[in-house]
Amino acid sequence: MIRLFKHYIPHAVLLLGALDFLLLILAAELAWTFRTSQIDTDAGLFDDRVLPLVGFAFVTLSAMIAVGVYGPLALRSLRFAGARILVAISLAMLGLAVADFLLPGQTYWRSVLLYAALLAIFLLVLNRIVTGTFLGTSAFRRRILVLGAGLRAKRLQDLSRKEGSGFTVVGFVDMTGAGSQVTEAVQRSEIEDLSGYVARMGASEVVLALEERRNALPLKDLVRVKTTGVHVNEFSSFLERETGRVDLDTLNPSWLIFSDGFSSGRAISSVAKRGFDIVASGVLLVLAFPIIAVFAIIVKLDSEGPAFFRQKRVGRYGQTFELLKLRSMRTDAEKDGSKWAEKSDPRITRVGAFIRKVRIDELPQVWTVLKGHMSFVGPRPEVPTFVADLEDKLPYYAERHMVKPGITGWAQINYPYGASIEDSRHKLEFDLYYAKNYTPFLDLLIMLQTLRVIIWPEGAR
């Protein structure tokens, strides 16, 4: 993987994205050339239309990221990729048509956009057929050698076998000879030169997965491996990179303290984040006001009670604030106290089920963002009673409050809706990853992929 602005991106995704970008430029160029030949007009110099061509490719690629074209199944399922490519192209064409209307004089003719869309669909699907044949093989996956044969090593073995995994385990070395969970592990005593063994196995990375590290670190072996140019990684850091979450089962305070993250150097990023929140929330409030007003009336007519729902939530540094949403439940929904939402929750009204599904109930939260209590991106704010319970049962839960809560977040796009302590534990792992690694780039990625969750609802309640 390559780490871009603190966020890990698989090599396969970068390669596929780069090829897609070039093919999108090609599709736009072919569409323009074909259309001008149809109407017997000079196509002009290529240099004169580079900016519109790149703009077409950039907008379309952004739409593809937004709807999840580069998800784990992107190279494994042509049906998965094809459906999302069609949606992405449609959204991109709509956006470019609006841009052409607002910025007249550009070269985004409707006829050219139509031809470019058809060509793009063909070329993008073809790209996945061709590259999928190669990227789906182990030749394009990182080759990992695991030092350890216990439960941690077994977890890595299971993870490598999951669909969409970006690495393959080429071997296990049992460093202790006790408690082995991997039958094919080779005993360390049988290997004369570990660095030579790593080279023979063709490993590009060594992962330390010992169950007990105290007085057991094979420092001499690790130094020799490292000096041969092979990357050496620690188990928790490896899991963070591969899964996009902080693994609570193996997390310890020293790793949090000494690992890269939670840096004070992101003060500039925080200023940029707040600036974006102010501008975007102001614009969105103006645009969304008619929608909010219409659905406020519908909610009021559908069931007895106020149109808006107000509730205390826990924000940054544990401070409480008032959250504003369109009401989607009956007014007596919390007469017995706050509780998790359930599947087919009987407290949800008829209109409430719809506005929850399409996330319209979240729109009034933009006002909370403008006031500064929330951001567009961050961990979801919970009610104080839930927070008190979760802080007591889940380690490091309070650390998620080191950043502002958000309307959408890393956990929301990576984990389906959860309504239990165990679900909260899994979501906390994603929240800690975000709090540790957040940058404007990660925020942009989350906002783009939030569209995927809206189009393909994955657990909204």
Side-chain angles (χ1 to χ4, degrees), residues 122-408:
F122 172 75
L123 291 175
L124 293 174
V125 171
L126 181 63
N127 186 25
R128 273 143 187 81
I129 294 174
V130 175
T131 58
T133 303
F134 300 99
L135 294 177
T137 67
S138 59
F140 284 82
R141 300 169 72 190
R142 290 180 313 288
R143 296 172 62 84
I144 307 300
L145 181 72
V146 178
L147 300 186
L151 292 174
R152 293 187 177 189
K154 185 64 168 61
R155 285 186 63 186
L156 293 181
Q157 185 181 55
D158 294 340
L159 183 61
S160 71
R161 292 172 175 171
K162 286 187 176 181
E163 192 171 25
S165 170
F167 70 96
T168 182
V169 180
V170 297
F172 296 88
V173 179
D174 190 341
M175 305 298 289
T176 62
S180 178
Q181 299 291 318
V182 182
T183 55
E184 60 266 39
V186 178
Q187 296 297 319
R188 174 63 184 92
S189 58
E190 299 175 8
I191 302 173
E192 182 178 352
D193 178 13
L194 184 60
S195 60
Y197 182 75
V198 171
R200 288 195 301 274
M201 297 299 291
S204 59
E205 184 174 0
V206 169
V207 180
L208 187 64
L210 299 179
E211 300 302 313
E212 177 57 60
R213 291 176 54 184
R214 186 176 302 174
N215 299 322
L217 278 177
L219 295 178
K220 187 176 180 180
D221 287 331
L222 294 178
V223 169
R224 287 186 176 178
V225 170
K226 179 72 174 180
T227 54
T228 61
V230 176
H231 182 57
V232 177
N233 211 346
E234 191 268 340
F235 182 77
S236 296
S237 297
F238 182 82
L239 279 186
E240 179 193 13
R241 187 187 73 190
E242 295 299 321
T243 63
R245 59 184 176 85
V246 174
D247 186 66
L248 289 179
D249 292 331
T250 59
L251 184 60
N252 59 70
S254 63
W255 181 83
L256 271 181
I257 293 170
F258 295 111
S259 64
D260 181 25
F262 302 103
S263 63
S264 59
R266 63 185 183 188
I268 296 178
S269 297
S270 298
V271 173
K273 183 183 180 79
R274 180 57 186 152
F276 172 82
D277 285 343
I278 293 173
V279 174
S281 60
V283 173
L284 190 56
L285 271 177
V286 173
L287 297 177
F289 181 78
I291 300 175
I292 295 174
V294 168
F295 277 93
I297 295 172
I298 294 175
V299 168
K300 186 72 175 176
L301 294 175
D302 178 64
S303 61
E304 184 178 348
F308 295 95
F309 171 73
R310 292 176 171 83
Q311 188 181 54
K312 290 290 184 183
R313 297 290 179 97
V314 177
R316 192 177 189 185
Y317 303 135
Q319 300 296 313
T320 59
F321 66 94
E322 189 174 70
L323 183 73
L324 182 67
K325 299 175 67 174
L326 282 170
R327 182 173 58 84
S328 58
M329 289 188 174
R330 303 193 312 265
T331 53
D332 63 348
E334 297 190 343
K335 63 180 180 179
D336 298 323
S338 299
K339 65 176 184 177
W340 303 105
E342 303 170 357
K343 188 175 182 179
S344 302
D345 198 316
R347 298 174 299 166
I348 299 176
T349 63
R350 291 174 299 175
V351 173
F354 173 75
I355 63 177
R356 277 174 171 253
K357 185 175 183 179
V358 297
R359 303 300 201 276
I360 291 177
D361 64 321
E362 310 274 2
L363 286 178
Q365 293 181 61
V366 177
W367 172 247
T368 314
V369 173
L370 184 61
K371 291 171 65 178
H373 297 307
M374 290 179 63
S375 177
F376 276 103
V377 180
R380 286 294 295 157
E382 296 288 358
V383 297
T385 52
F386 286 170
V387 170
D389 185 43
L390 292 171
E391 285 187 351
D392 183 57
K393 295 178 179 178
L394 298 178
Y396 306 105
Y397 190 83
E399 273 59 48
R400 75 191 292 273
H401 297 134
M402 293 300 102
V403 293
K404 281 185 182 180
I407 297 177
T408 185

Side-chain angles (χ1 to χ4, degrees), residues 49-70:
R49 53 182 178 275
V50 167
L51 188 59
L53 293 177
V54 171
F56 170 84
F58 178 79
V59 171
T60 307
L61 195 67
S62 297
M64 291 167 66
I65 294 172
V67 302
V69 170
Y70 299 101

